[in-house]
mmCIF file of all heavy atoms in Angstrom:
data_model
loop_
_atom_site.group_PDB
_atom_site.id
_atom_site.type_symbol
_atom_site.label_atom_id
_atom_site.label_comp_id
_atom_site.label_asym_id
_atom_site.label_seq_id
_atom_site.Cartn_x
_atom_site.Cartn_y
_atom_site.Cartn_z
ATOM 1 N N PRO K 175 -3.645 -13.582 -5.704
ATOM 2 C CA PRO K 175 -3.421 -12.429 -4.828
ATOM 3 C C PRO K 175 -3.166 -11.136 -5.590
ATOM 4 O O PRO K 175 -3.701 -10.080 -5.219
ATOM 5 C CB PRO K 175 -2.185 -12.853 -4.022
ATOM 6 C CG PRO K 175 -2.176 -14.326 -4.062
ATOM 7 C CD PRO K 175 -2.739 -14.692 -5.398
ATOM 8 N N ILE K 230 -3.030 10.973 -12.846
ATOM 9 C CA ILE K 230 -2.878 9.535 -12.593
ATOM 10 C C ILE K 230 -1.760 9.297 -11.598
ATOM 11 O O ILE K 230 -1.898 8.498 -10.660
ATOM 12 C CB ILE K 230 -2.601 8.803 -13.919
ATOM 13 C CG1 ILE K 230 -3.765 9.008 -14.891
ATOM 14 C CG2 ILE K 230 -2.377 7.317 -13.670
ATOM 15 C CD1 ILE K 230 -3.494 8.487 -16.293
ATOM 16 N N SER K 232 -0.608 11.474 -9.395
ATOM 17 C CA SER K 232 -1.036 12.010 -8.096
ATOM 18 C C SER K 232 -1.937 11.028 -7.372
ATOM 19 O O SER K 232 -1.805 10.810 -6.160
ATOM 20 C CB SER K 232 -1.765 13.346 -8.294
ATOM 21 O OG SER K 232 -0.921 14.294 -8.899
ATOM 22 N N PRO K 300 7.439 20.261 -16.184
ATOM 23 C CA PRO K 300 8.314 21.223 -15.506
ATOM 24 C C PRO K 300 7.601 22.493 -15.072
ATOM 25 O O PRO K 300 8.117 23.224 -14.217
ATOM 26 C CB PRO K 300 9.369 21.539 -16.583
ATOM 27 C CG PRO K 300 9.342 20.366 -17.507
ATOM 28 C CD PRO K 300 7.912 19.909 -17.526
ATOM 29 N N ILE K 302 5.054 22.675 -13.267
ATOM 30 C CA ILE K 302 4.610 22.521 -11.875
ATOM 31 C C ILE K 302 5.765 22.867 -10.939
ATOM 32 O O ILE K 302 5.643 23.684 -10.050
ATOM 33 C CB ILE K 302 4.103 21.089 -11.630
ATOM 34 C CG1 ILE K 302 2.855 20.841 -12.474
ATOM 35 C CG2 ILE K 302 3.804 20.861 -10.155
ATOM 36 C CD1 ILE K 302 2.303 19.449 -12.352
#
Side-chain angles (χ1 to χ4, degrees):
I230 300 172
S232 299
I302 295 178

